[in-house]
Amino acid sequence: VISGSWGDVRMGAEMESILTGYNDDRIETYFNPSADASLAGDYKGIRMGIDITAKSQYGDHASIGSVIDGETLTWMTAAEVHFLKAEAALRGWTGAGDAKTNYEAGVTASFAQHGISGADTYLAD
């Protein structure tokens, strides 16, 4: 669980690249648009390793979105378990099942968890 009360949890540049690159509608659930007027409400991530504080120059970058419930964020979901099993299958670990099946189940579970349609279209792209 991650605490959102410090105000220093922001989207990483890698996540920005992945979610915008795939036109993934879950971005609106995972993150809030940047509050900085110069970013025009875009979802802007921060390069990993940046030392930030709540009042830093990065404070208006994309923050954690509606996936946060009050002060906590659940990070390990059923979808994440499917993704981890897919990675284990790629490594050939016993009992991990099929990588493609696990990955697709993870995507489907993630879309369903956030009430977003289009998992089949996303997977077909």
Side-chain angles (χ1 to χ4, degrees):
V1 177
I2 295 174
S3 173
S5 62
W6 293 343
D8 65 348
V9 179
R10 297 288 181 262
M11 175 171 60
E14 295 86 350
M15 188 61 103
E16 172 194 355
S17 178
I18 292 167
L19 293 172
T20 59
Y22 284 109
N23 296 315
D24 192 324
D25 291 335
R26 292 175 292 176
I27 195 169
E28 296 173 5
T29 302
Y30 292 154
F31 301 100
N32 296 313
S34 301
D36 188 321
S38 70
L39 299 173
D42 288 340
Y43 294 91
K44 189 67 179 165
I46 301 171
R47 181 176 53 84
M48 296 301 288
I50 294 285
D51 184 20
I52 66 170
T53 63
K55 299 193 183 308
S56 78
Q57 67 194 43
Y58 302 104
D60 287 334
H61 279 59
S63 60
I64 299 295
S66 64
V67 293
I68 199 163
D69 179 16
E71 292 295 317
T72 59
L73 168 69
T74 302
W75 200 253
M76 183 63 66
T77 63
E80 181 64 16
V81 172
H82 287 294
F83 293 134
L84 291 171
K85 285 180 65 179
E87 290 180 25
L90 288 174
R91 290 177 171 81
W93 293 358
T94 303
D98 177 67
K100 181 177 187 285
T101 301
N102 287 327
Y103 173 77
E104 290 178 352
V107 170
T108 301
S110 178
F111 273 72
Q113 172 188 345
H114 299 295
I116 299 170
S117 63
D120 292 336
T121 302
Y122 178 85
L123 287 168
D125 187 7

